[in-house]
Amino acid sequence: MTEAWKSGLAAIALVTLPLVAACSDTEEHTAQGATRDDGTLTLAAALGAEKDLDIVREAMDESELSGVLDGPASYTILAPDDAAFEALGKEGETLLEDEQRPVLVALLRDHLLPGHLTPESIGEAIDRKGGPVTMATLGETDVIFSREGDGIKAELEDGGSASFAGTATATNNGVVIPISQVLMPPKD
């Protein structure tokens, strides 16, 4: 196993410990926290219900990854809001074209983490460690979470960064965390 993968698994184990208590909490949290829903929504349905996540939902459909979001496995989606995709301009529009599907799939896999990770649990892991925590995405890229003022920042190793933006939604098979930017890999 690679060292990054071991670190990612350790971080997931670390942050999932407090989830038992968090899952029974039905109150809404602040913009940095997750909202516990009634347990009937899947990740795909939650993306469809959020008005500021239309483009990432369309991207998931175009990439044919949306079926995974209806399945039984648990994932956390770092979901760029519509403004984040619009900020990419023509590059963002091109990503949704059929011939760009492999690029889009790779990009979206770097926005997916295994497991049910809430902003609170990520924040608690950062606090326990006393600094940034690193987790591996499904695209096998490291994402580094750190505190940024009162919020949390997600940053790809040698790539783009984004802040958690808005209220996260906990579903029956994961968590949708809106972010302010598309996490783009470094340009060659």
Side-chain angles (χ1 to χ4, degrees):
M1 256 186 188
T2 67
E3 194 62 31
W5 186 248
K6 287 179 187 176
S7 290
L9 289 177
I12 289 169
L14 181 66
V15 297
T16 56
L17 290 175
L19 292 179
V20 175
C23 288
S24 65
D25 184 9
T26 58
E27 69 183 64
E28 286 194 16
H29 298 281
T30 66
Q32 292 302 316
T35 301
R36 176 87 167 99
D37 70 11
D38 65 8
T40 61
L41 289 178
T42 63
L43 287 168
L47 280 177
E50 293 294 325
K51 64 181 171 102
D52 292 334
L53 299 178
D54 290 336
I55 298 173
V56 74
R57 180 191 40 75
E58 180 184 349
M60 287 290 183
D61 289 344
E62 290 293 322
S63 69
E64 299 179 0
L65 289 173
S66 58
V68 170
L69 304 181
D70 272 328
S74 183
Y75 299 102
T76 297
I77 303 172
L78 301 175
D81 59 23
D82 290 346
F85 274 101
E86 290 165 359
L88 294 176
K90 182 69 176 160
E91 185 178 11
E93 292 172 22
T94 303
L95 282 171
L96 298 176
E97 295 173 0
D98 284 343
E99 57 274 356
Q100 293 297 313
R101 184 170 290 137
V103 174
L104 181 61
V105 169
L107 178 76
L108 292 172
R109 287 176 57 88
D110 283 343
H111 288 75
L112 290 168
L113 297 160
H116 191 102
L117 306 171
T118 64
E120 294 91 351
S121 62
I122 294 169
E124 289 169 8
I126 293 168
D127 295 343
R128 275 193 301 271
K129 185 176 179 194
V133 294
T134 302
M135 296 178 203
T137 67
L138 293 185
E140 297 182 8
T141 300
D142 286 341
V143 63
I144 303 158
F145 294 101
S146 60
R147 291 277 183 196
E148 183 176 64
D150 291 337
I152 296 175
K153 179 174 83 169
E155 183 174 14
L156 290 183
E157 192 171 62
D158 299 326
S161 67
S163 299
F164 286 12
T167 301
T169 303
T171 70
N172 66 7
N173 65 339
V175 180
V176 177
I177 301 175
I179 58 174
S180 63
Q181 299 292 321
V182 177
L183 297 174
M184 298 292 284
K187 297 199 186 247
D188 295 330

